[in-house]
Amino acid sequence: MSLIRSSLLVGFGSVASRVLGFVRDVLFAQALGAGPVADAFLAAFRLPNLVRRVVGEGGLNPALVPALSRLEPDEAAATAGDVLGVFGIALLALTGLVEIGAGLIAFLLAPGLRDDGTLALVALYTRLSFPIVLCVTLASIGAALLNMRGRFGATALAPLAVNGGLILTLVAIETGFSLPLVQKASWLAAASSLAGLIQLVIVAAALLQDGPSLVRFRWPRWSPLMKSFLLAGFPVLAASGAVQIFFLAATQIASFWPSGIAWLYYAERVMQLPLGLMAALGSSLLLPELARRYRAGEMQAIAAAQNRALEAALLLSLPAAAALVILARPMSAVLFERGAFESSDAEGTALVLAALSLGLPFATVAKVLSQSLFACGSLRAALMAAIAGLVLTVAGALALAWPLGPTGIALGVSIGCLGHAGAVVVGLHRFGLWQPDRALTVRLMRIAAAVLVMGLGLVAAVRLIPQDGALSLAALCLGGLALYALGAFATGAVSRDDWASLTKNA
């Protein structure tokens, strides 16, 4: 399959999942608003959603793909079955522990929610929604096995089941029933677990089509490879999901502010659209390519591929960040201000979104560059970079939260993303893999010029176009996209050779 076809398929699945997730969150805001029940539900939803986002974006791939790619086909199939069996047993036990200790977990997730039984609601929603973790983690492992065989169809489309199922549940609740907010949230939490089961069934059906050539089930056997994979699993997940962990820490701090959890959640969902796309492309396409280059000893090729991937990531994330900062207020109002979500909530969400968007380019850089560390097996460096980002996130959020509230917490997340990216660069430099070339520098200067053109145009357009509806926002977004495209071609940030290179076979 050509690179363009693989990229388009993975990209389509990722974009479709993000769009459905966006629709889901718009309906969340309409149904639940940004009050205590919304804070309780979104706090409980944060943990399973964190796992779903990390493993769904290929969080286990850095540990699984390089290990299995070094084995003979028969041994790889048997080891793949062992991995699925071990994770299945471990996750069943973990789910049981969560169901028993949901009260303690609720306190850890949102220590600021202590009044009016809100913390008890967090525990209830955690119990109902956590089983999705079992399903999506096993589905993610199965998706990694399919990607190794060039099977991207089921892995790209299966994640749509979760958001699609929640959207159907929301529509049914809003149109067919008149329920209190507490019961609405309960149904949504339970529906998320059911939708995760559907995702697992889709991936399992695709795996069974290849039969024992891809995965062979047996009672799990302990082996040095299995031990190394399990030992690598935690640091890989922590490093792959660094930004999600930053948001988890930020949510704990935001729980001390009324509606702080909800504002942070809705703003994050907007910011995550471009970031999630780059994460999916990096884990599904870039990581396997870098792993092959590393096994062949082609270190210069790794650096070159890394630089080109960095160009592509910033080509998307820099204009996205600028547009989100400029359009934060109209975007929050148009997307979320309806039903139980009030104008004051839209204003608070807009400020948080603008602060988060400052960290988007750095989060994207870290996502792309971490793939090189994963491909080379440098898990310790990737984990230490994630820890550095987490420390800066907590320190920045605590320092800025009291003078600025949830907006300061969001700025703390952006500071953490900056620190994370810087720490990843330091790790690459230690391994001799940070080799930015002249082409990268020139491309970044051209991208910056194109973003400046778009930004100036958007600032002027915001003052001229009334910001009172979806049509105005659509005009601003499309106009900004057109300006950026013209600027990118005029400055040479995008050229005809770039399109031609995409059609080359992988």
Side-chain angles (χ1 to χ4, degrees):
M1 181 179 289
S2 68
L3 180 60
I4 182 64
R5 290 176 60 193
S6 301
S7 300
L8 286 176
L9 187 56
V10 174
F12 170 79
S14 179
V15 169
S17 179
R18 298 305 178 276
V19 170
L20 287 179
F22 212 65
V23 173
R24 176 203 69 191
D25 293 324
V26 169
L27 294 175
F28 275 172
Q30 177 179 332
L32 303 178
V37 173
D39 280 348
F41 173 77
L42 295 175
F45 195 59
R46 172 67 68 181
L47 185 58
N49 201 44
L50 180 150
V51 176
R52 188 177 72 85
R53 293 295 301 275
V54 171
V55 300
E57 292 172 357
L60 287 171
N61 290 13
L64 186 62
V65 171
L68 293 183
S69 63
R70 291 191 292 265
L71 302 178
E72 295 297 325
D74 289 343
E75 187 180 1
T79 303
D82 293 343
V83 169
L84 284 169
V86 168
F87 266 81
I89 295 171
L91 288 168
L92 278 173
L94 176 62
T95 302
L97 291 175
V98 170
E99 297 297 318
I100 295 171
L104 175 60
I105 292 173
F107 175 75
L108 295 176
L109 288 173
L113 299 180
R114 299 183 183 181
D115 300 328
D116 303 324
T118 308
L119 202 60
L121 290 178
V122 178
L124 171 63
Y125 301 149
T126 298
R127 288 190 174 97
L128 292 173
S129 62
F130 194 82
I132 192 179
V133 171
L134 166 66
C135 299
V136 299
T137 303
L138 295 180
S140 176
I141 296 174
L145 300 176
L146 291 169
N147 287 345
M148 289 178 61
R149 291 289 185 91
R151 298 271 305 278
F152 297 103
T155 62
L157 299 178
L160 304 183
V162 173
N163 289 330
L166 285 172
I167 289 173
L168 291 176
T169 303
L170 280 161
V171 171
I173 289 175
E174 289 296 287
T175 59
F177 303 92
S178 179
L179 299 175
L181 290 180
V182 172
Q183 292 185 22
K184 286 182 181 180
S186 297
W187 279 104
L188 290 173
S192 66
S193 292
L194 178 59
L197 178 61
I198 295 174
Q199 177 182 344
L200 176 59
V201 169
I202 294 173
V203 173
L207 284 172
L208 292 176
Q209 288 183 355
D210 280 354
S213 64
L214 187 58
V215 56
R216 188 166 66 250
F217 291 102
R218 62 185 182 185
W219 184 255
R221 298 180 182 178
W222 190 254
S223 65
L225 188 145
M226 175 65 70
K227 179 180 178 181
S228 64
F229 175 72
L230 292 177
L231 291 176
F234 173 74
V236 164
L237 284 176
S240 297
V243 175
Q244 303 298 329
I245 295 174
F246 300 167
F247 277 111
L248 180 62
T251 297
Q252 294 174 302
I253 300 172
S255 68
F256 290 92
W257 275 261
S259 301
I261 292 176
W263 293 355
L264 181 65
Y265 176 84
Y266 293 125
E268 178 212 347
R269 299 302 296 148
V270 180
M271 175 258 201
Q272 286 279 5
L273 278 170
L275 181 60
L277 173 61
M278 292 312 305
L281 291 175
S283 62
S284 297
L285 298 175
L286 182 60
L287 176 60
E289 175 66 18
L290 292 176
R292 286 193 293 268
R293 299 288 189 184
Y294 181 74
R295 289 197 307 274
E298 301 173 356
M299 304 304 288
Q300 293 297 323
I302 290 178
Q306 176 180 277
N307 288 335
R308 304 294 78 79
L310 196 56
E311 292 173 6
L314 292 174
L315 187 67
L316 295 174
S317 63
L318 282 175
L324 289 177
V325 170
I326 297 169
L327 302 178
R329 182 62 180 91
M331 192 169 290
S332 297
V334 170
L335 292 175
F336 302 119
E337 192 178 331
R338 62 179 58 82
F341 200 89
E342 300 177 354
S343 177
S344 59
D345 296 319
E347 183 66 34
T349 301
L351 293 173
V352 173
L353 174 58
L356 288 180
S357 300
L358 298 176
L360 175 58
F362 304 112
T364 306
V365 167
K367 281 283 187 183
V368 171
L369 296 183
S370 294
Q371 304 304 316
S372 296
L373 292 177
F374 293 146
C376 300
S378 305
L379 301 182
R380 184 176 182 275
L383 179 61
M384 295 306 296
I387 292 174
L390 178 60
V391 170
L392 286 174
T393 295
V394 173
L398 290 175
L400 298 172
W402 268 259
L404 299 176
T407 304
I409 297 172
L411 286 173
V413 175
S414 292
I415 292 172
C417 291
L418 171 60
H420 183 212
V424 171
V425 169
V426 171
L428 289 173
H429 183 73
R430 291 181 57 191
F431 288 93
L433 293 175
W434 178 241
Q435 302 175 24
D437 52 23
R438 183 177 181 277
L440 174 61
T441 303
V442 172
R443 183 68 64 97
L444 292 185
M445 293 175 62
R446 293 173 175 174
I447 293 173
V451 171
L452 180 61
V453 170
M454 181 203 72
L456 292 175
L458 277 179
V459 170
V462 165
R463 296 180 177 180
L464 297 175
I465 298 177
Q467 303 172 41
D468 57 358
L471 291 179
S472 297
L473 179 61
L476 289 170
C477 291
L478 293 175
L481 179 61
L483 272 177
Y484 180 64
L486 291 174
F489 278 104
T491 60
V494 176
S495 65
R496 294 179 180 178
D497 291 340
D498 296 325
W499 294 104
S501 66
L502 286 175
T503 60
K504 293 180 179 180
N505 290 333

